[in-house]
Amino acid sequence: MRQSTLFHNTLRESPSDAEVVSHQLMLRAGFIRQLAAGIYTYMPLGRRVLRKAEQIVREEMDRAGAQELLMPAMQPAELWKESGRYSQYGPELIRLRDRHDREFALGPTHEEVITSLVTNEINSYRRLPVTLYQIQTKFRDERRPRFGLLRGREFLMKDAYSFDTDWKGLDRSYWNMFHAYQRIFTRLGINFRAVEADAGTIGGEGGTHEFMALADIGEDTIAACTCCDYAANLEKAESGTTDIPDGQMISDDDTEVEKFYTPEIKTIEQLVQSLQISPMDIIKTVVFIADDKVVAVAVRGDHEINEIKVKNYLGAQDIVIADSEALAKISGVTVGFIGPMDLPFPVLVDHTVAHMTSGIAGANELNHHVRNLYPIRDLELTHVGDFRNVTEGEKCPRCEEGILKFNRGIEIGHVFKLGTKYSEQLGATFLDPSGKEQTMIMGCYGIGVSRILSAVIEQNHDDNGVIWPTTLAPFQVHLIPISIKDDKQTELAQKLYHLLLENGIEVLMDDRDERPGVKFKDSDLIGIPIRIIVGKGAEQEHVEITLRKHNVKESLHVDDAIARINELVKSIH
Amino acid sequence: MRQSTLFHNTLRESPSDAEVVSHQLMLRAGFIRQLAAGIYTYMPLGRRVLRKAEQIVREEMDRAGAQELLMPAMQPAELWKESGRYSQYGPELIRLRDRHDREFALGPTHEEVITSLVTNEINSYRRLPVTLYQIQTKFRDERRPRFGLLRGREFLMKDAYSFDTDWKGLDRSYWNMFHAYQRIFTRLGINFRAVEADAGTIGGEGGTHEFMALADIGEDTIAACTCCDYAANLEKAESGTTDIPDGQMISDDDTEVEKFYTPEIKTIEQLVQSLQISPMDIIKTVVFIADDKVVAVAVRGDHEINEIKVKNYLGAQDIVIADSEALAKISGVTVGFIGPMDLPFPVLVDHTVAHMTSGIAGANELNHHVRNLYPIRDLELTHVGDFRNVTEGEKCPRCEEGILKFNRGIEIGHVFKLGTKYSEQLGATFLDPSGKEQTMIMGCYGIGVSRILSAVIEQNHDDNGVIWPTTLAPFQVHLIPISIKDDKQTELAQKLYHLLLENGIEVLMDDRDERPGVKFKDSDLIGIPIRIIVGKGAEQEHVEITLRKHNVKESLHVDDAIARINELVKSIH
């Protein structure tokens, strides 16, 4: 393609609302343009990259034996009511009414539609298993769309769904998709980790993994072992239960719990300062309302409560921290002075607290705390478990050799064992070999196709612009005649341009009448991996090849260029 | 692909609401399934066909130099208000509000978005012309969705938009797209005509052509010349002004207009019967309200008024026939007795009427008509023009040698000179070489990609099912071992299956444990063009090749099969 005719602009400045590098570069390099908050147009260069991502996803899905179909974006609300998600999904679900006042949702995901479809089409075990996928535009009305394609309201997704006769089959389907995802993200040149994750609100029992592209701007924290391959989202990462370090203070059976006066001392920090102790000596207690029950959770002062773990332990749909008003009503205690002793509702005690020998905690009385609290003696310990986030540097819960290191990650894929959540609600059954009706066992598998572009740029850029991996680059070669007013250069560039096209190499030729500085700056921004410069050497039919990744120049005769380019296309990533 | 694992069902009966063959066959052959009225899922086989259609459209767009991008479906209502279409579009435009109560429309078309985008990106004549396209899901809330993919509410469209500096440039862009469309529909194997059409409500001056697939179920009538290449939609087709046949009755200047009593005779049919005359002797007069003006239109009794022509003549936005109540109020005359004489508002007289020498018309008085009406003498004839539909068999308005024949057609494509309608409203200007601000001249070009499937099936089927052209077929070869319980057959089929795959031939192997009758019936329904049957000849490594189109059998050795299939793939259409 000739750049003079390309519908494309680079921007000198990045718009002020672009907070992260990938968003800034996509706008500056002219890959996308915003139409409304979280809603983007893919410009010709961006469309090319997106199509390459699509194609890699499609090829690996096909190779894994998944079958492509295409479901509608407009979904009747009735289906969502059947599954119960119409009310659960909240304002992220875009709703509309047609001219006959019938309710529809714009699909953020397609569990309902696919389950209902498979229910109608399949009724015998002979037709299972089956995995179906589509690459399709999804809609989600994010509360705060941001980071460009990372959190948009209209985005391209690959969603797949598997249907099996039993849980063993689901396991096979699940790992089949898991391995397809590994191949996809490897081909896309992404530095990723597959991490154990929490099942979240989409529902269902069993395992789930998130595929995370490592990036500082990631909204999720990943805890990964330095020795074994254990990796999990912070919300899911397990804390070890043995060998737990304790605070400095030690109680024994003779040292009784003692209440003391702590006027206006309401926070861990205030306690630490006024008593000159470590947060490890403190027991932090927080009261939650879980669905409609009240519970307290006690973790050590230096730890954070993991609400997902609490929620899962209780089997609750929804938990919220009791605010000061609710707390006073429930327990008669003011915020800042709540403690785990003698509460009229269950107390969930984290392993670390259960191992403490002497703790300071709220006394459940205004302006008072207690000291010498020895949980094994002073608390009931009916509910001991893992209720906190792991901390960086603690021992791996699996191998117990390595320690956990933290990384930030961008979720680019998700594999999920749905089990029977949707098949039960929507009646997806089949007849087994004995003629008995059984419920299908489902899995769902998503890849944020448009999001991949952001993740790749976060991992592949420098101060001057994007550095595309060859598999995703909008073109493989950027051919730049330094001056199109120089006949020799123009002639040689034209010759090479046609040679490249004839050899099936995708080439963008910068035939614009611009200064070399402008051309190189734009070329750096766009980030095509291989650059061929036609300059002074044109007289001798020499051209220069450089890679966007590292600025090593290589001068060679035009007759050798094609062979060299073919080599480079294959070798660089 | 192995049919035993394909997510696919054929249906014995077609659902009762499927009125046309293409809809019936798409459902029966398992290409689509309905989710809601006018909203369909493409099943794996249908998705394959759709992707092939997409790919052909994309290749020809690229070849024509159009650049692919991807615009959002969700469009801010403000843009539609700027263009004035938010109110004009009516209930076909699907509207919604986001969580912040901002209004959006789901794009049925993208003139506003693309014009606004180009306005922001291009400001110099140096960057023009440019043609941009996308292949994208569109939404239109049809009042009466029907005929499967022909009139759906969510459908796949290729829409393109050209931007030029002047009208000459638009001409070039327009014909460039026109020729690309000819290539596309030819490759798709469609029997089509490009016909002149009316500009309709999308707006703009200048020419427009519709690409019509000829089919009896088409909602549009095409009038095409038997000699020259004149072809037009009925709404647009011009009636010749010369050599107009007249009725039998002849008046001269001595025969005066005479009123006569015609009790309860209100229709052309009643007049014809009671007076024993021909409809050609009657002048039919209809009163319209055009925007807020009243006009009458007079055509010959055997002709139909063409409201589009009337509207265009008047430059009106909207015209409706005055109902009996309105008519009485306007003219004091009852329906059935209106005539063209002495009306207190303008009368548009069709050429054919102006050429009459003696007509019968309403007398503008209850239960009375007039005879001996000689328009050239008795009417003012201030507004004489072409206000009627052409009739089949009349002379071609261009070559005057051929006659017009009627065909029904399905609109599959549309090229349209928009001119400055959107660029003016949305401020799409550029600086010309002298630094003067000018308005861009636009064209828009649509292809109903999903609709193509319906059109192709309407043209390519028999009583047993679909007959796909090779370019669109979900697979090129249907490989059918008669009995998978026969080891020889299964072995030979497997061998051939892998040979075909290795040679890049798309093959569906019916490895299901079904009776031959079921397999052949399903195969006929699905309509894959080449069929290879592995039956009794398997012992001698012989297979049978037949074409779906005509049932000629060819028996050959498996070693010769690949060469023969390659020949067939190239030669058959």
Side-chain angles (χ1 to χ4, degrees), chain B residues 54 56 61 88 112 114-115 118 152 172 218 241 256 296 308 330 342 372 380 400 416 438 462 485 493 495 523 547:
Chain B
E54 267 180 71
I56 289 174
M61 282 293 112
Q88 279 166 29
E112 284 82 358
I114 195 87
T115 309
V118 171
R172 275 190 299 270
T241 55
E256 280 185 13
I308 303 275
I330 295 162
D342 309 319
N372 305 332
E380 278 192 24
E400 305 211 344
F416 200 98
Q438 303 274 9
D462 61 17
K485 284 174 184 145
K495 178 179 167 181
S523 181
L547 299 186

Side-chain angles (χ1 to χ4, degrees), chain B residues 1 4 6 21 48 190 200 205 207 210 243 266 321 328 375 377 428 431 448 456 473 498 507 528 536 556:
Chain B
M1 167 117 220
S4 61
L6 179 67
V21 172
R48 290 181 73 97
I190 296 175
E205 312 111 63
E210 284 173 3
D243 199 21
K266 293 179 178 181
I321 295 183
R377 177 191 66 190
L431 297 179
V456 167
H498 290 289
V507 53
I528 294 171
K536 283 180 190 160
L556 73 180

Side-chain angles (χ1 to χ4, degrees), chain B residues 301-318:
Chain B
D302 58 328
H303 287 153
E304 276 174 15
I305 293 175
N306 181 314
E307 294 188 15
I308 303 275
K309 290 179 180 177
V310 172
K311 202 169 130 185
N312 289 345
Y313 180 87
L314 297 169
Q317 281 287 330
D318 197 46

Side-chain angles (χ1 to χ4, degrees), chain A residues 94-309:
Chain A
I94 298 181
R95 293 148 211 259
L96 58 91
R97 282 166 188 274
D98 74 0
R99 66 195 298 156
H100 305 295
D101 215 32
R102 279 184 222 111
E103 290 174 289
F104 284 85
L106 287 185
T109 164
H110 278 68
E111 280 81 4
E112 284 82 357
V113 176
I114 195 86
T115 309
S116 138
L117 181 72
V118 170
T119 305
N120 289 331
E121 299 292 322
I122 291 183
N123 50 35
S124 160
Y125 73 96
R126 283 195 194 86
R127 305 283 305 280
L128 295 173
V130 67
T131 298
L132 302 165
Y133 81 97
Q134 61 176 350
I135 298 176
Q136 195 229 23
T137 300
K138 296 284 188 285
F139 301 86
R140 198 171 295 165
D141 200 357
E142 292 282 350
R143 195 175 56 81
R144 204 188 145 205
R146 60 181 181 151
F147 295 173
L149 304 184
L150 275 181
R151 197 162 284 283
R153 299 200 284 174
E154 179 173 340
F155 51 96
L156 195 67
M157 202 171 139
K158 187 284 300 174
D159 47 329
Y161 307 88
S162 68
F163 296 82
D164 276 277
T165 56
D166 54 24
W167 286 89
K168 257 193 188 164
L170 171 58
D171 257 354
R172 276 190 298 271
S173 299
Y174 182 87
W175 290 106
N176 181 33
M177 282 295 111
F178 185 98
H179 294 126
Y181 278 33
Q182 288 185 314
R183 292 196 301 272
I184 288 168
F185 296 125
T186 303
R187 283 182 66 183
L188 290 168
I190 296 175
N191 180 13
F192 71 97
R193 291 292 294 252
V195 306
E196 293 180 13
D198 183 72
T201 52
I202 198 171
E205 311 113 64
T208 171
H209 283 86
E210 285 172 4
F211 286 79
M212 309 293 280
L214 302 187
D216 290 342
I217 62 138
E219 293 180 326
D220 298 287
T221 300
I222 305 161
C225 177
T226 50
C227 282
C228 74
D229 64 356
Y230 180 75
N233 256 352
L234 187 56
E235 59 185 23
K236 171 76 174 176
E238 299 157 27
S239 64
T241 54
T242 56
D243 199 22
I244 298 168
D246 197 357
Q248 299 107 331
M249 300 186 297
I250 296 174
S251 303
D252 59 33
D253 282 352
D254 296 336
T255 331
E256 282 187 10
V257 174
E258 182 196 345
K259 186 162 78 180
F260 62 109
Y261 184 55
T262 49
E264 298 297 325
I265 294 183
K266 295 181 177 178
T267 65
I268 305 278
E269 291 73 40
Q270 289 167 340
L271 271 177
V272 164
Q273 268 207 322
S274 75
L275 303 180
Q276 290 295 305
I277 52 167
S278 152
M280 290 172 80
D281 295 317
I282 298 168
I283 299 169
K284 176 162 72 180
T285 310
V286 177
V287 176
F288 289 90
I289 297 159
D291 294 341
D292 46 8
K293 283 177 194 155
V294 179
V295 295
V297 180
V299 298
R300 214 169 59 185
D302 59 325
H303 287 154
E304 276 172 16
I305 294 174
N306 181 314
E307 295 190 14
I308 303 276
K309 291 179 180 176

Side-chain angles (χ1 to χ4, degrees), chain A residues 456-529:
Chain A
V456 167
I457 294 181
E458 285 295 333
Q459 291 186 348
N460 299 278
H461 68 269
D462 61 16
D463 289 348
N464 301 320
V466 182
I467 307 171
W468 287 111
T470 34
T471 45
L472 276 183
F475 292 90
Q476 294 163 327
V477 170
H478 205 171
L479 175 61
I480 307 180
I482 296 274
S483 165
I484 61 151
K485 283 171 184 148
D486 182 313
D487 288 346
K488 280 276 175 224
Q489 288 184 24
T490 304
E491 204 180 299
L492 188 60
Q494 292 282 359
K495 179 180 166 183
L496 195 49
Y497 180 68
H498 290 290
L499 266 173
L500 288 163
L501 287 181
E502 282 159 23
N503 281 273
I505 294 163
E506 297 170 90
V507 53
L508 178 66
M509 175 165 66
D510 192 349
D511 59 341
R512 296 176 303 161
D513 184 12
E514 293 283 2
R515 284 176 294 112
V518 171
K519 291 187 177 190
F520 289 132
K521 214 163 186 170
D522 283 352
S523 180
D524 279 347
L525 259 177
I526 297 171
I528 294 170

